[in-house]
Amino acid sequence: LGAHPAIEAIGRCLFHADVRVRAAAARALRDMGGGTLLLEAFPKVPPDTQVEVAMGLGQLHYLPAIPAISSVATGRGPMPYRMEAIKALGLMGSIEGTAVLAGLLKAKGLLAATELPEIRLAAAKALKGIGTREALDLLDQVAASAHVDFRQALVMLRQGKE
């Protein structure tokens, strides 16, 4: 990858002033298999570009990126960025990503869930997308103990009725 003549120029485009150029650069690096460069740039690019970079890393199944993407998914940043990071973890389909998604789905405080329903549902969708026995069993387990409204959403998701 490093030998490709355009790789350095594309990498610099991740920091361009125009968000469309940054997004196109992230997609180009993904298409070239540039997981290492995407991960290196991830903490340095603007948040809107982090979303595009995270999705690229997820599509590449670039497992070394799980800690960085997990920090966005579990952080307190804007919900759209968190939801895209959750999707990226789902795309990776790894045990480590499954554990992070499970934590988001099962997050509970003293009286109720500590994560917003939208975040929990995004984690459930990502787990369903992973599709391993472990991920699906986790969905069933949470559905059995969830509040009625959330339980119905999980059951519908599990049955394929998003």
Side-chain angles (χ1 to χ4, degrees), residues 110-131:
L110 185 59
L111 299 175
T114 57
E115 283 295 349
L116 295 169
E118 296 88 347
I119 294 293
R120 294 179 74 212
L121 193 55
K125 286 180 180 179
L127 285 166
K128 182 177 186 250
I130 290 172

Side-chain angles (χ1 to χ4, degrees), residues 10-29 38 45-50 52-53:
I10 294 170
R12 283 193 307 269
C13 289
L14 288 171
F15 302 96
H16 193 276
D18 188 333
V19 66
R20 295 169 298 185
V21 172
R22 294 193 305 264
R27 288 189 301 272
L29 289 169
L38 286 171
V45 296
D48 55 1
T49 305
Q50 276 187 343
E52 202 66 55
V53 170

Side-chain angles (χ1 to χ4, degrees), residues 31-106:
D31 292 346
M32 296 171 75
T36 302
L37 188 56
L38 286 171
L39 179 56
E40 187 178 296
F42 184 78
K44 302 172 192 168
V45 296
D48 55 1
T49 305
Q50 276 187 343
V51 169
E52 202 66 55
V53 170
M55 289 305 290
L57 290 164
Q59 291 165 339
L60 288 171
H61 305 280
Y62 195 72
L63 300 183
I66 289 175
I69 295 172
S70 295
S71 70
V72 175
T74 60
R76 295 291 167 219
M79 188 182 319
Y81 298 162
R82 292 184 68 202
M83 291 181 70
E84 290 300 314
I86 290 166
K87 286 181 195 174
L89 288 172
L91 290 171
M92 289 185 178
S94 72
I95 292 170
E96 296 88 353
T98 300
V100 173
L101 295 168
L104 289 169
L105 183 60
K106 293 164 60 171

